[in-house]
Amino acid sequence: LVHYMPSVNTGVSSGSAWSQFSNTYKQLTGRSCLFVQCARGSTFIEYLIPGTNNYERMVSASRDALSIIGHEQLGKIYCLYHQGEADQLLETKKEKYKEMLLSLGNGMKADLGIDKFFVFKVAAPHGRKEECVTAIQSAQDEVCETEELFVMAYSGCPSFNIKNLLLGSDGTHYSIFGYNVMGQIGAENVAKNIDTKTTVTKDDLE
């Protein structure tokens, strides 16, 4: 895997945590990862949920991957989810965001058979109102606390800033170092949850 990954929802990611995630996860478990990159930058959650073009492309591409590789070769299917900055800017209300996040996760369970929906908590980029940042972060926290399908895989992104070198100079996108931290610790937490069913708590490198 590389940092710059093409997405089925058009465009190429300018950076991601998934290469480091894959490397760390395989080191810890001996299991490889097959990713279907479905991200779409600067997109509100309402354009990602069932019934939208983005959702249908994600389902189609995932089913294509399953048909090529074979479900028996993959084992279980998980979603790794990191989104919310656009909704902070849109000022999406917490309860509305929770409703749509549940719709997305439950849709993926019904359409693709995902076993877990792992959330990487949204950060606090520049240019957003504090109450709007908190609304989306709290929505993600609460869904993970109350819904069995959803697990908080990594909650450290809100601590990313320019001074600690985890945030890029634009104040919005993560640095490669930030993506790698997110990927490494997220993989450790996901592996722990899958193998032991324990609550995920680790946010920092040791």
Side-chain angles (χ1 to χ4, degrees):
L1 290 174
V2 295
H3 282 289
Y4 296 90
M5 297 172 64
S7 172
V8 301
N9 278 320
T10 73
V12 177
S13 171
S14 60
S16 81
W18 313 133
S19 54
Q20 184 62 49
F21 179 99
S22 180
N23 290 338
T24 301
Y25 186 82
K26 185 170 185 179
Q27 288 171 358
L28 291 172
T29 67
R31 300 188 293 267
S32 298
C33 300
L34 169 66
F35 281 86
V36 179
Q37 167 71 305
C38 304
R40 186 178 178 91
S42 303
T43 302
F44 313 127
I45 192 173
E46 67 179 299
Y47 296 119
L48 302 173
I49 60 177
T52 65
N53 289 335
N54 293 316
Y55 181 85
E56 295 307 319
R57 281 192 292 264
M58 179 270 294
V59 170
S60 177
S62 298
R63 286 175 174 168
D64 286 346
L66 284 169
S67 67
I68 293 169
I69 302 299
H71 198 296
E72 67 281 358
Q73 297 295 322
L74 289 176
K76 294 187 176 181
I77 304 170
Y78 305 103
C79 174
L80 304 182
Y81 177 84
H82 186 58
Q83 186 275 346
E85 294 174 353
D87 283 283
Q88 292 170 342
L89 202 57
L90 183 65
E91 302 184 9
T92 302
K93 301 301 182 184
K94 181 174 77 170
E95 292 305 317
K96 184 64 176 177
Y97 187 90
K98 287 171 64 176
E99 177 186 321
M100 291 187 285
L101 185 57
L102 285 168
S103 174
L104 177 59
N106 289 330
M108 293 180 72
K109 184 173 180 63
D111 293 328
L112 295 172
I114 65 169
D115 289 273
K116 286 294 179 183
F117 190 105
F118 288 106
V119 176
F120 291 68
K121 187 193 284 189
V122 65
H126 293 181
R128 276 72 167 169
K129 296 178 181 177
E130 183 176 353
E131 62 269 25
C132 299
V133 170
T134 301
I136 305 304
Q137 291 174 342
S138 297
Q140 293 178 351
D141 281 332
E142 291 175 17
V143 168
C144 291
E145 289 167 359
T146 60
E147 302 295 328
E148 185 177 358
L149 178 65
F150 294 79
V151 175
M152 182 60 69
Y154 181 61
S155 58
C157 292
S159 69
F160 287 12
N161 58 60
I162 295 173
K163 289 185 178 179
N164 64 21
L165 304 180
L166 298 175
L167 196 64
S169 59
D170 64 357
T172 299
H173 296 94
Y174 307 152
S175 65
I176 294 300
F177 178 42
Y179 282 123
N180 286 344
V181 168
M182 172 183 163
Q184 178 182 330
I185 302 175
E188 293 172 1
N189 289 334
V190 166
K192 183 178 181 182
N193 181 271
I194 292 171
D195 289 342
T196 68
K197 311 300 181 185
T198 55
T199 302
V200 174
T201 56
K202 182 180 177 184
D203 287 334
D204 299 315
L205 289 168
E206 293 179 349

